[in-house]
Amino acid sequence: MKKKLRLSKPVWIGLFAGVAVIIAVLGVAIASLFSDGADQPEDKSASVSSDMSASSDELMVRELTPEMDEVVSENGDTVSEDEAVSDNAVSDNEAVSDNEAVSDNAVSENEVDILAANAPSVQASNASCKLNDASSIHLTANFSSAPASEDGKLHIYQLAPYQYSLDGAQEIGSIESTAAAVADVAMGSGAVPGLYCKYCFAAIQGGAPVMQNEPQYITNPEILATNTRARVGYPKKGLTDYFYNWNLDTNNGIPAYIMQINNYGNNGTLKHPMANQADSHMVDEGPLQYMFNAANAEGVNALANAMKGVANMAGTQDYIIGNEVNVRKWCYIAYTDWDNYVKEYMQGFRVAYNAIKSTNANARVFICLDQNWDRNMTNIEAYWFMDGKDFIDKFNAKICAGGNINWGLAFHPHPVPLTYAKIWDMGAIDPIYARMVNSNSMISFQNMSVITNYMTSASLRSPSGSVRAMMASETGISANQGADVQAAAVYASYQACVRNPYVDIMIYSFDDSTGARFTEKAWEVYNNMGGPNDAEYDAWAKSVIGISDWGQLLR
């Protein structure tokens, strides 16, 4: 006979209490589910926290090293070591300041706050800055609506080239906040002269000034010109009578119509401070020339004074700022991402441009590229150079963001490889060289129209809408395959220039290491091409090459 289970009174009370608690918890949970969709004010704290977390992730900076086996991309996929070191591995959104460029650490929360506080909060269009005269500027910007400012004003700030936030910037005036902002104001008297500075509007938000437009450089320095000289037209061929490499830090050389200004690092003030930092990826051969210093006030002032000096030299009308600046050994600073590299070069170029144009209004100022065009390197060489095409895109974007100016392009269309002039018969050498030219990953005079055609793009044109000035400022043609081959190739390169309406001049250089010194036959051809006997030498060169029309070789 089974016994009945009897519970004492205290046990019954405990059971009822437990059930009551469970029911209460379930009720709260159910009520919470329904309340999420009710007419309650939206609680944005969770989404703000999530957004801030995402921003911190986006600002994470990684140094891409050859030792890395794989890297995790933003979408969670893994990419190979080769993909990680490509020029495109670091996006524009990941560009960082000098001190952060080679750090493995994320930007701190305080630094995120500073960046956010100084970023433009209202999208401005048609911002510009021009000189009224030697001491005042005309700053404009259009907004979709008047920027909100706690004091109802837009404040004008003056920033040195190396400043990218309002921290330490100089306030030089204010106007009432308006959608169509226009300010005429005297330049400040900071450590860097106003001619080389950039300017922006700022609104007071949260008790602090916040940028309202991308800071704008002065884009009409030529109105201050003190030594403007008439220009001399160029022939389609030239040697050292038209071109000279000028060592700026020792001021040696003979002025020529075209002066390439180089920095060999002998002057510590002109040498960029990042060139003295430890280099995680030292370039092959080591540094040969250095990037100009526009990273501090001393460097900006020294660079501006030096550039004014060369701009005053009689006989010079075109200035190339640095040699093959897309290659780090020729424009050296310690390794950083390419966006940061181009930013640092752009700062120095701006200083050089304004110094030269404010001396000689008719002068032209050029960047200089080697012959790497669109290789998309994915090995260790990706740390040593960037493609010329990528450099142009990044440089032009940064220039236009701060106020478009009339910069020009010098490039070096050597044969590929440098020691082989018989470009019409590439079968005698490794086929990789023919593929480089045929795919336009490398530029020679044979396919240099790839560059000039690219430069006709609307986004790459000068402020007036014209195609920018271009020159082939260095072409060395080897005699290693014989005197006739060299001479015929010299004439072919001349025809490449003649047939291209955008290239002012082809400068021939002599490099004994590649056999590129002219033979007697090359001199004969050089002296006659473009002259009264040009047709005779044209026919002779075609016969050596084995063509009846230059379009069979040149494109």
Side-chain angles (χ1 to χ4, degrees), residues 518-546:
F518 277 6
T519 60
E520 183 177 346
K521 185 64 176 180
W523 276 118
E524 178 188 342
V525 170
Y526 176 84
N527 290 328
N528 282 280
M529 58 192 192
N533 300 319
D534 181 75
E536 174 188 340
Y537 285 90
D538 184 291
W540 174 84
K542 285 176 181 173
S543 69
V544 171
I545 295 170

Side-chain angles (χ1 to χ4, degrees), residues 326-470:
N326 61 310
V327 183
R328 209 157 45 93
K329 69 183 176 185
W330 293 111
C331 189
Y332 180 75
I333 57 175
Y335 177 73
T336 181
D337 67 83
W338 288 114
D339 284 299
N340 199 48
Y341 176 93
V342 175
K343 181 198 75 174
E344 295 295 331
Y345 174 79
M346 179 274 295
Q347 290 171 194
F349 185 90
R350 283 280 194 181
V351 173
Y353 183 94
N354 280 14
I356 292 168
K357 295 287 283 186
S358 65
T359 303
N360 178 4
N362 286 337
R364 300 187 302 183
V365 189
F366 294 75
I367 66 172
C368 175
L369 304 179
D370 78 339
Q371 60 187 139
N372 290 289
W373 179 243
D374 195 18
R375 294 180 71 181
N376 297 317
M377 295 299 292
T378 57
N379 56 25
I380 188 63
E381 290 180 321
Y383 293 117
W384 299 346
F385 68 86
M386 67 185 303
D387 288 347
K389 180 175 180 290
D390 294 336
F391 186 95
I392 286 174
D393 289 345
K394 291 179 186 296
F395 178 80
N396 183 63
K398 293 180 188 300
I399 287 288
C400 290
N404 198 7
I405 50 177
N406 198 21
W407 58 271
L409 173 63
F411 59 95
H412 296 168
H414 297 285
V416 180
L418 296 173
T419 56
Y420 192 80
K422 199 174 183 181
I423 62 171
W424 53 91
D425 180 16
M426 299 296 285
I429 57 173
D430 192 319
I432 189 174
Y433 297 111
R435 290 199 298 269
M436 284 179 174
V437 175
N438 291 337
S439 67
N440 301 323
S441 63
M442 295 282 285
I443 296 296
S444 74
F445 61 80
Q446 186 177 1
N447 65 331
M448 69 182 188
S449 62
V450 170
I451 289 183
T452 57
N453 289 344
Y454 189 72
M455 292 296 292
T456 64
S457 304
S459 62
L460 290 171
R461 294 191 175 222
S462 74
S464 68
S466 62
V467 177
R468 296 182 185 278
M470 285 179 272

Side-chain angles (χ1 to χ4, degrees), residues 11 53 56 88 134 149 173 228 236 251 256 268 271 280 293 309 352 355 394 406 413 460 475-476:
V11 173
S53 175
S56 297
N88 297 323
S149 186
T228 297
K236 283 286 187 175
N251 289 323
K271 182 180 176 182
S280 59
N293 178 20
K394 291 179 186 296
N406 198 21
L460 290 171
T475 304

Side-chain angles (χ1 to χ4, degrees), residues 102-424:
V102 295
S103 170
D104 289 333
N105 298 321
V107 179
S108 69
E109 290 183 5
N110 289 339
E111 291 169 318
V112 172
D113 291 341
I114 291 171
L115 290 172
N118 288 291
S121 63
V122 177
Q123 185 64 44
S125 62
N126 301 322
S128 70
C129 184
K130 295 184 179 295
L131 289 169
N132 290 320
D133 50 43
S135 60
S136 68
I137 61 161
H138 180 75
L139 179 65
T140 65
N142 293 328
F143 303 97
S144 57
S145 60
S149 186
E150 290 164 7
D151 63 355
K153 295 184 179 296
L154 288 175
H155 300 258
I156 299 97
Y157 278 84
Q158 179 173 313
L159 299 83
Y162 47 83
Q163 291 178 309
Y164 287 86
S165 79
L166 297 181
D167 185 24
Q170 182 181 10
E171 183 176 354
I172 58 174
S174 64
I175 61 171
E176 296 299 315
S177 184
T178 176
V182 178
D184 293 286
V185 60
M187 292 184 286
S189 56
V192 173
L195 176 63
Y196 309 107
C197 289
K198 50 191 176 182
Y199 301 84
C200 75
F201 291 106
I204 305 300
Q205 296 172 353
V210 177
M211 284 186 191
Q212 299 301 296
N213 65 282
E214 181 76 22
Q216 298 294 298
Y217 285 89
I218 289 166
T219 57
N220 64 335
E222 60 275 3
I223 72 166
L224 303 181
T226 56
N227 190 10
T228 297
R229 304 182 290 276
R231 291 191 60 82
V232 175
Y234 289 141
K236 283 286 187 175
K237 63 180 183 179
L239 296 168
T240 54
D241 51 341
Y242 284 93
F243 179 90
Y244 197 87
N245 275 300
W246 182 269
N247 183 358
L248 185 61
D249 49 15
T250 57
N251 289 323
N252 67 330
I254 302 170
Y257 287 119
I258 303 166
M259 185 183 293
Q260 182 167 278
I261 305 173
N262 302 315
N263 180 8
Y264 288 92
N266 299 319
N267 184 317
T269 306
L270 288 173
K271 182 180 176 182
H272 197 289
M274 288 181 69
N276 299 319
Q277 295 178 359
D279 197 336
S280 59
H281 301 289
M282 178 54 72
V283 294
D284 66 322
E285 301 181 90
L288 299 179
Q289 293 178 20
Y290 295 84
M291 185 179 288
F292 287 112
N293 178 20
N296 52 48
E298 295 78 13
V300 170
N301 291 324
L303 181 58
N305 290 335
M307 291 294 178
K308 278 187 168 292
V310 296
N312 270 309
M313 291 180 178
T316 303
Q317 59 187 21
D318 289 335
Y319 301 85
I320 303 172
I321 310 304
N323 173 56
E324 297 185 351
V325 297
N326 61 310
V327 183
R328 209 157 45 93
K329 69 183 176 185
W330 293 111
C331 189
Y332 180 75
I333 57 175
Y335 177 73
T336 181
D337 67 83
W338 288 114
D339 284 299
N340 199 48
Y341 176 93
V342 175
K343 181 198 75 174
E344 295 295 331
Y345 174 79
M346 179 274 295
Q347 290 171 194
F349 185 90
R350 283 280 194 181
V351 173
Y353 183 94
N354 280 14
I356 292 168
K357 295 287 283 186
S358 65
T359 303
N360 178 4
N362 286 337
R364 300 187 302 183
V365 189
F366 294 75
I367 66 172
C368 175
L369 304 179
D370 78 339
Q371 60 187 139
N372 290 289
W373 179 243
D374 195 18
R375 294 180 71 181
N376 297 317
M377 295 299 292
T378 57
N379 56 25
I380 188 63
E381 290 180 321
Y383 293 117
W384 299 346
F385 68 86
M386 67 185 303
D387 288 347
K389 180 175 180 290
D390 294 336
F391 186 95
I392 286 174
D393 289 345
K394 291 179 186 296
F395 178 80
N396 183 63
K398 293 180 188 300
I399 287 288
C400 290
N404 198 7
I405 50 177
N406 198 21
W407 58 271
L409 173 63
F411 59 95
H412 296 168
H414 297 285
V416 180
L418 296 173
T419 56
Y420 192 80
K422 199 174 183 181
I423 62 171
W424 53 91

